[in-house]
């Protein structure tokens, strides 16, 4: 109605409004300056999201993971109680005052789970960043220099990968002494080799790519060739690997804490909370809530990584 | 067709002598088996032969990307050092190549404009080097074009510079790679089937353009193709390879009008007649083995 009023044409206001709209549409769909092709229609916001992110799993995973990251960031602000305060009645079941109940020392489980997000997710991301960096540097060096440098680095990765991950991490953490810092260090030792191997094989295959050869023929030195031609093509797939690894890293660190090799008792950490809960099997709320927290973090970050991988996969990227 | 510069007594820009290339394997594959030829400044030579006869292998040897098992490559009369992990000296950046596979000839993560810009930069670096050495850079008198001007010259719009290679077709990518190589003002350009990703009607045009742009700045062109009918349009001389060997060589008109080797005759027989009736591509029926002795004109 209002549009008709805006276009008072002498003959047919409706007709001119339609025409004006059609013209506006035409004006928007200008031919692409390079290809000369006219886009069929403007993509809606929803369709601009890569298809791999539009699956129900990916959507739920994104929401859950985002929620966890928010909780990790602003945790203390939303926790109803001090996670370390022991001023409540111990072993209260979940109820009005304490929705997740209280533990053996009278601490609020809900507040501890929320505070634990910062420790678990924060450390998992830190760990992934460190192992990605170490692995990428060593993998690039191995792939680029080859020969004995490659041999040495690759034999190190073989050595680490010959042991089961968790057991090796346990041994290293135990040897270093139980502390959260040492647990991260132990996890780093066992997790960099997978990055080093992947990056190395990518660097090796890229080194023989025609565009890298073209650069070399133009007089690129090794550093420029790496920086311009090789590394930018390694970053995407490596980030996918890293994001897939966040959930697993959270699990590994909590596992070490569960075994008493990581976070020390008063600090709210999901693994150590579960390990304390094992002593009181009948008080189900002590273990189930940190366990669920860990479960949702692992699953949501894995689905995120999958979606990220699919959107980097050339097969599914084009739409 | 101009007379080969050989007649004028000029120094060849490139000489390959008895190149043998074995690829490792059990047993090793002999991809190239004793190939020799030379290329003179400002000359366009077509290297033709069927798939798998060793053309790309020769291209890699000539540019120094692949060290031959035997034989030597002389560039401006001196042995060409193969490309190692080190930076190639500006002395040798006058050798450029357009690779066969359009899907990997450009870096997918960089805009095409800056990739062409790299060619310009290489040209400047070499000009500086040659001035220092007291020589004269190739194409010294020719006006320097910008990256987007180069893209326009090979038939793309100036805006193409801001795009990534994925948004171009295979044929367009090959033209961009050609622009980058030519922007480096090479003395020698090796084009490894640079037009095979194009349709038949544009092939001749793009080959002609490439040849014209190369000759404008005094670049010698080694044009590799399996298509004799296109090569004959631009080449001064033709070298025919078969199973890793040169089987025939000569001036284009001689090879085209009077092929001596049975393999060349078969290649020519496969070209459809212009009246549209077309002859069946009987070229190299599987199982046919041709003699590998060279016949020269
Ligand atoms: N990296 C390699 N390892 C082993 N054998 C190879 C390798 N590259 C090429 N060959 C073999 O060497 C021979 C020549 O290969 P080349 O790529 O030079 O052929 P071509 O003439 O360029 O063919 P096309 O027209 O299909 O590109 C082929 O028989 C091929 O199988
Ligand atoms: Mg080839």
């Amino acid at each position: 109605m209002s549009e008709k009023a805006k276009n008072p044409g002498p003959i047919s206001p409706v007709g001119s409004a339609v025409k004006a709209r059609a013209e506006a549409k035409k004006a928007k769909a200008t031919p692409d300056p390079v290809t000369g092709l006219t886009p069929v229609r403007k993509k809606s916001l929803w369709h601009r999201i890569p298809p791999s992110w539009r699956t129900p799993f990916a959507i739920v995973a994104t929401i859950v993971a985002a929620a966890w990251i928010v909780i990790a960031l602003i945790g203390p602000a939303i926790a109803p109680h001090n996670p370390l305060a022991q001023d409540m009645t111990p072993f209260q079941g979940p109820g009005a005052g304490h929705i997740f109940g209280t533990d053996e020392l009278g601490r609020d489980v809900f507040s501890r789970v929320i505070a634990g997000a910062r420790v678990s997710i924060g450390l998992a991301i830190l760990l992934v960043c460190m192992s990605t960096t170490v692995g990428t540097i060593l993998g690039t060096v191995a792939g680029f220099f080859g020969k004995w440098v490659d041999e040495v680095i690759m034999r190190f990765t073989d050595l680490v990968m010959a042991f089961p991950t968790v057991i090796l991490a346990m041994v290293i953490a135990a040897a270093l002494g139980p502390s959260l810092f040492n647990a991260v260090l132990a996890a780093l030792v066992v997790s960099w080799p997978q990055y080093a191997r992947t990056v190395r094989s990518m660097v090796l295959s890229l080194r023989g790519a025609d565009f890298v050869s073209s650069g070399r023929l133009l007089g690129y030195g090794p550093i420029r060739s790496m920086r311009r031609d090789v590394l930018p093509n390694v970053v995407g797939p490596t980030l996918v690997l890293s994001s897939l690894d966040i959930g697993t890293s959270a699990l590994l660190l909590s596992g070490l804490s569960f075994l008493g090799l990581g976070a020390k008792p008063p600090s709210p950490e999901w693994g150590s909370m579960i390990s304390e809960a094992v002593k009181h099997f009948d008080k189900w709320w002590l273990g189930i809530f940190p366990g669920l927290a860990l479960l949702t973090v692992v699953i949501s970050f894995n689905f995120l990584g999958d979606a990220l991988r699919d959107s980097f996969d050339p097969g599914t990227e084009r739409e | 067709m101009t007379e080969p510069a050989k007649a004028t007594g000029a120094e060849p820009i490139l000489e390959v002598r008895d190149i043998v290339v074995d690829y490792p394997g059990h047993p090793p594959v002999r991809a190239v088996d004793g190939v020799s030829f030379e290329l003179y400044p400002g000359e366009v030579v077509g290297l033709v032969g069927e798939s798998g006869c060793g053309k790309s292998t020769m291209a890699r040897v000539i540019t120094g990307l692949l060290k031959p098992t035997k034989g030597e490559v002389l560039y401006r009369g001196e042995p060409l050092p193969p490309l190692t992990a080190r930076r190639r000296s500006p002395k040798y950046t006058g050798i450029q190549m357009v690779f066969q596979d359009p899907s990997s000839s450009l870096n997918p993560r960089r805009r095409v404009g800056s990739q062409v810009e790299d060619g310009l930069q290489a040209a400047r670096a070499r000009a500086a080097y040659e001035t220092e050495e007291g020589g004269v850079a190739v194409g010294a008198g020719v006006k320097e074009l910008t990256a987007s001007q180069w893209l326009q010259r090979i038939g793309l719009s100036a805006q193409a510079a801001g795009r990534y290679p994925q948004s171009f077709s295979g044929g367009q990518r090959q033209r961009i790679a050609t622009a980058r190589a030519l922007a480096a003002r090479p003395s020698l350009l090796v084009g490894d089937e640079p037009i095979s990703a194009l349709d038949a009607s544009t092939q001749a045009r793009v080959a002609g353009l490439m040849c014209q742009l190369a000759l404008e700045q005094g670049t010698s062109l080694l044009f590799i193709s399996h298509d004799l009918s296109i090569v004959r349009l631009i080449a001064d001389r033709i070298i025919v390879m078969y199973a890793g060997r040169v089987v025939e060589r000569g001036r284009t008109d001689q090879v085209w009008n009077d092929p001596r080797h049975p393999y060349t005759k078969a290649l020519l027989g496969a070209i459809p007649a212009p009246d549209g009736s077309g002859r069946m591509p009987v070229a190299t029926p599987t199982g046919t083995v041709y003699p590998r002795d060279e016949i020269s004109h």
Side-chain angles (χ1 to χ4, degrees), chain B residues 50-57 59 100-101 192-193 224:
Chain B
E50 67 188 346
S51 178
C53 72
K55 305 184 296 294
S56 296
T57 306
Q100 182 170 7
D101 179 7
D192 190 0
E193 312 216 20
I224 298 177

Side-chain angles (χ1 to χ4, degrees), chain A residues 32-35 144 208-222 224 228-230 232-233 236-237 312 318, chain B residues 60 63 65 83-88 93 96-97 99 104-110 118-119 121-122 157 159-160 163 180 184:
Chain A
D32 184 293
V34 174
T35 57
F144 189 78
D210 290 343
F211 63 84
V212 177
S213 300
S214 301
R216 308 298 314 282
L217 288 178
L218 286 172
Y220 278 21
R224 186 142 73 124
R228 286 210 178 161
D229 286 340
V230 177
N233 288 288
F312 267 106
R318 300 242 165 91
Chain B
R60 288 180 175 277
T63 49
L65 289 168
L83 207 63
T84 57
R86 294 240 186 95
R87 172 170 177 263
R88 180 168 258 191
T93 56
Q96 291 300 321
M97 174 164 172
F99 288 86
S104 76
S105 58
L106 296 171
N107 184 345
R109 303 261 166 225
R110 291 181 64 211
D118 286 343
Q121 212 183 341
S157 78
Q159 283 97 321
R163 299 233 161 165
R180 176 181 56 190

Side-chain angles (χ1 to χ4, degrees), chain A residues 74 143 162 172 254:
Chain A
I74 62 163
I172 297 170
S254 292

Side-chain angles (χ1 to χ4, degrees), chain B residues 267-282:
Chain B
L267 266 186
L268 284 168
I271 296 167
D275 62 6
S277 64
R279 273 170 282 174
M280 285 302 286
V282 289

